[in-house]
Amino acid sequence: MPMTTANKLTIARVLMIPVFLVILYWGFPGSSYVALAVYIIACLTDLADGYIARHYNQVSDFGKFMDPLADKLLVVSAMLMFVEQHQMPAWALLLVVAREFAVTGLRLIAVDNGRVIAAAWSGKIKTASTMVAICLMLLWNIAWLNTVCWVVIVVTTVYSGVEYFVKNRDVFRKAA
């Protein structure tokens, strides 16, 4: 595996996840602000590694695998803490995780059929709105705002998941 700058940023993001969780779990005064800073830095590494990989020809199989996995781990880790802290219902997190497994499964079936399913705009909107919602929930733990945030996460997650399956339903016909 070439240790490119893009791959180093992805690894750094993965390593920030336990730091983020420990800070949130520890719960010292101001810990949510420190956790927010770590989360934002992790999100910025996601933007940076994608840019660097594409613009400096550092796209690798490791990056193709680890970058989306790191993103999912970061988001699910934050949402898991929100569930534990009663800021978000567990079923909302379950929907997010189920969508991720389903879309990943769809992509694997497509690859077996020689087709690559690129990220759709709805998936990019889902990712961006989820990251912003998580930042808002870390910044202000207010019941009504938490509800608005997790509803936005659920709606964009379900919409993008349904869109992936509708636009790529022919993958199943080919697989059968």
Side-chain angles (χ1 to χ4, degrees), residues 139-161:
L139 192 55
W140 298 292
N141 183 4
I142 303 168
W144 69 266
L145 181 61
N146 291 342
T147 301
V148 168
C149 287
W150 66 255
V151 166
V152 166
I153 291 169
V154 167
V155 168
T156 58
T157 295
V158 170
Y159 178 84
S160 70

Side-chain angles (χ1 to χ4, degrees), residues 102-115:
V103 169
T104 299
L106 174 68
R107 285 188 164 137
L108 289 173
I109 292 169
V111 165
D112 275 351
N113 291 317
R115 180 169 156 191

